[in-house]
Amino acid sequence: MTGTAVVVGAGVGGLATAIGLRRAGWQVSIRERRAELERYGTAFALTPAAQDALDRLGVGAAVRRRAVPYRSAQIRTPDGRVLAGLPLERLEKKAGKPELLISRPYLIDLLLAELATLGGAGVVEFGANVTDAAALQAGYDLVVGADGLRSAVRAACFSASAGPTKVGSVAWIGIADFETDRHGETWGKGRFFGLTPVEPGHTNWYAAVPEGTTAADLPGLFADWHDPIPHILTKTDPAGWLCYEMRHLHPALPTFVTAGKVALVGDAAHAMTPNLGQGACTALLDAEALTRALAHHGPGALPAALHTYDRERRRSAQRTAFASRTLHRIVTTDHTRLRNTAARLLPGRPDGISYR
Ligand SMILES: Cc1cc2nc3c(=O)[nH]c(=O)nc-3n(C[C@H](O)[C@H](O)[C@H](O)COP(=O)(O)OP(=O)(O)OC[C@H]3O[C@@H](n4cnc5c(N)ncnc54)[C@H](O)[C@@H]3O)c2cc1C
């Protein structure tokens, strides 16, 4: 079926949804409150399933040309000892392709470029802050809320009680202009530090710390942690760091669709803490599943297509969000000895290796 659609929000979820809708023959307009697309953000992980979704949206090959593979990562203690290895090789073997990492600006640019090739150039209306999302229903066959953590579409058309809930941490994030082979996460007491590849010559980093921690506090909090963590925090310019709020949506929504014509995708539907690196992946999976369901259902079957989407994505996305929140609790616990003992039981620890 085809028709007219308005997508609220031009993040990963909104742009991917617009691409899928254009491919299925829909007329689409996107309302984005920002005056232009923000050119910031660090690395996104793309699981094999998210890559498959990108392939079906027609963007997979372009993404693979810019992304880097993520093949080796360990969990460490602050003094550099390895507690466990992430099972990236095993996952790659199973899926037949590696997990990838790509910077947010690249991914946004690639999605915008694909939209332009589908005749969708100019469909993004910038500076269009949607305040009355319920009123959009009168003007379009379909309304998609892809407007993130504080979704106006969710607030207007879905449960008023669901909203962003603090988890007690913020993440300072940045990109350092050197490479390291010490990828993975280092878990301390109430805080952790992550290092991943992002593009040749650079390293993506994030420091999850208690709320209220300023950029000026960071070097002191990690001064005696293993290299290259202190180096990153003392030698890179804090003007390039970003503070990213860590929140999740609570309570979970009973449905991602309503009124036979409104759907939520991405953070609007199931904002999660970034611990599993699934924010962008789940938004892409939502966008692809929603637009595939719309393409497969015949004329007049919009409510049925939305129901199919909800059935395919809601439980899965909410399970991922719950697992991410649980991992956040484990990683930031004060009971580090118990946590580290459990982590050592995970497969993949190269015994005896110390990186200090
Ligand atoms: C600028 C930015 C940088 C980010 N950087 C990172 C990062 O480095 N690492 C990471 O893991 N995650 C980052 N995220 C979050 C990550 O992009 C999302 O968790 C994930 O990609 C899901 O995307 P989404 O499209 O559902 O939501 P989002 O990416 O949050 O996109 C929502 C979009 O909707 C727009 N919007 C919101 N309300 C309205 C409204 N009322 N009317 C019109 N438009 C509206 C927003 O401006 C935004 O463009 C970032 C998000 C943003 C917006």
Side-chain angles (χ1 to χ4, degrees):
M1 67 168 299
T2 62
T4 58
V6 60
V7 177
V8 183
V12 170
L15 293 172
T17 301
I19 289 170
L21 287 170
R22 290 290 302 169
R23 284 195 175 282
W26 284 67
Q27 282 178 43
V28 186
S29 63
I30 304 183
R31 306 268 176 95
E32 168 55 50
R33 73 170 170 199
R34 293 173 199 269
E36 57 186 43
L37 286 185
E38 299 279 351
R39 305 283 308 140
Y40 71 80
T42 55
F44 278 154
L46 295 173
T47 57
Q51 295 168 44
D52 291 345
L54 285 164
D55 281 334
R56 288 194 288 269
L57 291 168
V59 204
V63 167
R64 271 187 283 274
R65 278 195 291 276
R66 293 307 300 254
V68 295
Y70 195 23
R71 291 205 157 99
S72 166
Q74 280 82 37
I75 297 168
R76 295 186 173 83
T77 54
D79 64 5
R81 275 174 299 143
V82 175
L83 290 173
L86 300 188
L88 295 172
E89 268 179 48
R90 188 155 44 84
L91 294 175
E92 176 173 350
K93 218 168 165 185
K94 196 169 161 205
K97 58 183 100 169
E99 176 151 330
L100 297 176
L101 286 155
I102 189 165
S103 86
R104 184 177 190 275
Y106 281 161
L107 182 58
I108 294 281
D109 281 350
L110 293 172
L111 294 171
L112 272 174
E114 181 65 16
L115 200 51
T117 67
L118 295 169
V123 298
V124 187
E125 193 187 326
F126 290 104
N129 185 24
V130 171
T131 50
D132 187 358
L136 289 175
Q137 293 180 53
Y140 298 89
D141 298 319
L142 171 68
V143 178
V144 180
D147 47 348
L149 184 63
R150 294 188 172 73
S151 170
V153 178
R154 185 181 66 233
C157 308
F158 289 77
S159 160
S161 61
T165 303
K166 293 180 178 190
V167 295
S169 306
V170 294
W172 282 93
I173 59 180
I175 294 190
D177 59 357
F178 63 85
E179 288 188 31
T180 174
D181 57 1
R182 293 180 187 183
H183 296 138
E185 277 189 1
T186 302
W187 294 353
K189 189 172 180 175
R191 57 191 188 275
F192 60 95
F193 200 97
L195 295 159
T196 76
V198 60
E199 57 195 78
H202 294 84
T203 298
N204 172 57
W205 64 267
Y206 49 92
V209 287
E211 264 183 353
T213 304
T214 65
D217 298 330
L218 285 188
L221 282 177
F222 294 95
D224 57 352
W225 286 37
H226 68 78
D227 285 337
I229 295 170
H231 179 81
I232 285 176
L233 296 177
T234 51
K235 302 287 184 225
T236 65
D237 183 0
W241 305 353
L242 296 173
C243 188
Y244 181 69
E245 57 181 354
M246 285 169 101
R247 294 181 187 225
H248 70 128
L249 185 67
H250 182 79
L253 292 173
T255 177
F256 286 178
V257 301
T258 191
K261 63 182 322 182
V262 185
L264 297 176
V265 300
D267 282 4
H270 48 66
M272 61 186 75
T273 62
N275 299 75
L276 285 174
Q278 290 283 322
C281 294
T282 46
L284 290 166
L285 292 171
D286 293 348
E288 193 279 325
L290 172 63
T291 55
R292 175 165 34 82
L294 291 165
H296 286 177
H297 280 75
L302 184 52
L306 295 185
H307 180 65
T308 301
Y309 160 65
D310 183 61
R311 218 177 37 225
E312 176 173 337
R313 288 298 306 147
R314 183 162 46 84
R315 290 235 168 89
S316 163
Q318 290 176 341
R319 265 198 306 268
T320 305
F322 179 75
S324 205
R325 171 80 185 97
T326 304
L327 184 59
H328 181 79
R329 282 206 179 100
I330 293 169
V331 175
T332 54
T333 181
D334 285 345
H335 304 292
T336 55
R337 194 179 288 191
L338 188 64
R339 176 198 65 196
N340 292 355
T341 304
R344 280 193 192 93
L345 298 176
L346 296 171
R349 183 165 71 104
D351 278 333
I353 292 184
S354 165
Y355 287 88
R356 192 158 177 90

